[in-house]
């Protein structure tokens, strides 16, 4: 039975009405009443001096597997996030076959997760019966579709393969997925051309879903990649979202303004495009996807390792990387964040430069050894972005705030060490945006700031009855202190929940009380309307 609550004395803050003084009554998991003054109920929360906002909707997540391992989702709910949107960057947990499946099995076995599903319908069935503190929405990944049909082959899909991808896409949409994601820097998604993406985006548009794309290039070819994204949106009629909008690498920083101009012009033209962004200057990704030329990762993990082991091929790869990245500090900007959890953790927290110095050699030799020793399972942070661009991007009204992170627990043991150093954005994104960029820097006001975390992502994803403080909406709420909210997670110490978030409700149940997790798991797996 969901408890009925009153929350009294607080200032309410949401995108539609801004700041106002009112009390809330929750009943049956929903906001039953909003009134200037309400009588206390048996369950009464005196929130005088605090602010109540809709729970944050983290529009860009990678929690599709972690959700089964860490049902309490501490990094989300302790940060005020009540809905997690996963399956981004082309990597959904369905369909799950072949090497795409093998890779996930190897990664998650170490965390105690047995992957016992293949299809979208099976995944949703498992998710529906799994406890979760946070609500969960999912996208189907183009990379997963392509892996299931074409494998890791670096070639265009045949017409028959496209039809089979389309069938798997339809299955996922019918199972409840909110749209399609792509990860066009990652194999096998990177082998698709725009035609293939358009063909798959069309049925998504017809179903009312959206297309979220980690575009093909965020650095030297950023503008071409934005153009390709806009072509997919224009030709298919789909609503489109650029994932983690950025200009990567110092020499590309001047392009951010042009990327923004292109998105603005597209919106003026009537295209429904948006973006998401986390408030940090480092990205986090796979070391091989970041470093190696596309031809060097083609064909899957075994082929990649064989190329790195062959002296002549290895030399060619080294030459290409040095040519692509002549900047002297490139290897100082890349830090090992996590490696295969069942192997040596020595490299975690060190830059490629530092690893090379220790080994007395070239940073690339150190990087290749790392890929070999960890079966290519190496995650890195890459300090690649500029603060000036970050502020320019966050100021754009169509940019929702998304962490680009998997949900995490709050570890107290050796398991934490094996999990490496997650990006601080996992815990810090929402609080850093509100504390630093809204309150301290005044980049946007509170009403606009809260919109980027609530009703804007709700509208992009197509979440009904969430993201707004209105009677009848689901009671996903965060009760926080506008003067105190601040991130505490850092690159060196990322396992830290933010300050200033006092209480969090998910579907009317309290999951955070006085900054501590209550153990409640009222979260649901959400499905696209009509499924
Ligand atoms: Zn991505």
């Amino acid at each position: 039975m969901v408890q009925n609550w009153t929350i009294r004395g607080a200032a309410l803050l949401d995108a539609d009405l801004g700041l106002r003084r009112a009390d809330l009554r929750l009943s049956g998991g929903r906001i039953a009443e909003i009134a200037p003054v309400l009588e206390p109920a048996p369950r009464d929360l005196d929130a005088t001096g605090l602010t109540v906002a809709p729970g944050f909707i983290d529009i860009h997540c990678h929690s599709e597997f972690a959700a089964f391992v860490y049902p309490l989702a501490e990094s989300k709910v302790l940060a005020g996030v009540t809905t997690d949107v996963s399956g981004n960057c082309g990597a959904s947990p369905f369909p799950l076959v072949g090497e795409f499946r093998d890779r996930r099995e190897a990664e998650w076995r170490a965390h105690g997760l047995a992957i016992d599903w293949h299809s979208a319908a099976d995944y949703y069935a498992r998710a529906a019966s799994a406890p979760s503190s946070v609500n969960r929405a999912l996208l189907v990944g183009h990379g997963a579709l392509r892996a299931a049909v074409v494998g890791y082959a670096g070639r265009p899909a045949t017409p028959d393969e496209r039809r089979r991808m389309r069938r798997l896409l339809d299955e996922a949409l019918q199972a409840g997925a909110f749209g399609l994601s792509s990860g066009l820097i990652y194999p096998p998604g990177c082998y698709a051309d725009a035609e293939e993406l358009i063909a798959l985006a069309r049925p998504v548009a017809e179903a009312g879903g959206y297309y979220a794309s980690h575009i093909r290039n965020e650095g030297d070819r950023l503008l071409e990649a934005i153009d390709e994204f806009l072509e997919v949106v224009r030709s298919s009629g789909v609503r489109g979202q650029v994932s983690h909008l950025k200009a990567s690498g110092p020499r590309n920083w001047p392009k951010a303004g042009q990327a923004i101009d292109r998105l603005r012009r597209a919106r003026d033209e009537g295209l429904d495009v948006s973006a998401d962004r986390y408030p940090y200057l480092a990205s986090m990704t796979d070391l091989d996807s970041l470093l190696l030329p596309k031809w060097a990762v083609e064909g899957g993990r075994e082929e990649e390792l064989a190329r790195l082991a062959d002296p002549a091929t290895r030399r060619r790869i080294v030459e290409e990387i040095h040519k692509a990245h002549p900047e002297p500090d490139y290897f100082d900007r890349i830090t090992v964040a996590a490696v295969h959890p069942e192997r040596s953790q020595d490299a975690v927290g060190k830059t490629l430069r530092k690893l090379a110095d220790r080994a007395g050699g070239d940073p690339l030799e150190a990087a290749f050894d790392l890929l070999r020793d960890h079966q290519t399972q190496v995650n890195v942070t890459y300090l690649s972005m500029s603060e000036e661009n970050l502020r320019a991007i966050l100021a754009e009204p169509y940019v929702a705030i998304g962490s680009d992170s998997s949900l995490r627990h709050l570890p107290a043991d050796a398991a934490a060490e094996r999990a490496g150093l997650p990006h601080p954005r996992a815990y810090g994104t929402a609080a850093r945006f509100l504390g630093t960029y809204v309150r301290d820097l005044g980049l946007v006001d509170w009403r606009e700031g809260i919109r980027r975390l609530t009703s804007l992502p709700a509208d992009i994803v197509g979440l009904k009855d969430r993201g707004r403080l209105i009677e009848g909406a689901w009671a996903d709420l965060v009760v926080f202190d506008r003067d105190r909210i601040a991130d505490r997670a850092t690159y060196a110490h990322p396992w830290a929940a933010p300050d200033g978030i006092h209480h969090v409700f998910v579907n009317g149940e309290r999951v955070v009380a006085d900054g501590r997790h209550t153990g409640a798991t009222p979260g649901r797996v959400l499905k696209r309307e009509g499924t």
Side-chain angles (χ1 to χ4, degrees), residues 169-213:
L169 168 68
D170 286 342
E171 277 177 36
L173 291 173
Q174 277 156 25
F178 284 86
L180 175 71
S181 75
S182 67
L184 302 179
I185 70 157
Y186 300 108
C190 62
Y191 305 121
D193 56 17
E195 283 301 310
E196 177 177 323
L197 298 166
I198 291 165
L200 291 171
R202 264 192 202 117
V204 177
E206 283 158 21
Y210 75 107
Y211 170 63
S213 182

Side-chain angles (χ1 to χ4, degrees), residues 56 79 430-436 439-440 446 453 478 480-487 498-501:
F56 306 146
R432 184 173 175 81
F433 174 67
L434 291 177
T436 301
R439 181 192 56 223
D440 296 349
W446 279 104
L453 286 157
V478 53
F480 70 104
D481 184 337
R482 294 205 308 282
D483 296 328
R484 294 283 309 279
I485 191 166
D487 58 309
D499 274 332
I501 294 184

Side-chain angles (χ1 to χ4, degrees), residues 60 62 88-89 182-183 185-186 214 218 243-244 246 284 404:
H60 191 112
H62 295 281
N88 274 283
C89 298
S182 67
I185 70 157
Y186 300 108
H214 179 151
E218 297 176 323
S243 298
H244 37 60
K246 66 168 83 73
M284 187 178 197
D404 197 6

Side-chain angles (χ1 to χ4, degrees), residues 63-73 108 110-114 126 131 407 409:
S63 307
E64 51 277 349
F65 295 97
F68 293 136
V69 184
Y70 308 115
L72 297 183
W108 287 97
H111 298 278
L113 175 65
R126 194 188 208 276
L407 63 81
H409 60 148

Side-chain angles (χ1 to χ4, degrees), residues 236-268:
S236 67
V238 79
R239 297 184 293 116
Q241 187 200 10
V242 177
S243 298
H244 37 60
L245 178 61
K246 66 168 83 73
S248 184
R251 68 173 176 246
N252 298 307
W253 290 351
K255 292 176 188 161
Q258 296 168 67
I260 288 171
D261 279 347
R262 277 164 156 82
L263 293 174
R264 283 182 183 169
R265 278 206 303 273
R267 289 168 57 82
D268 288 345

Side-chain angles (χ1 to χ4, degrees), residues 43 195 204 235 357 362 405 436 445 510-511 521:
R43 295 253 167 187
E195 283 301 310
V204 177
S235 301
D357 290 347
D362 185 318
S405 291
T436 301
D445 65 17
R510 187 152 72 157
V511 295
T521 54

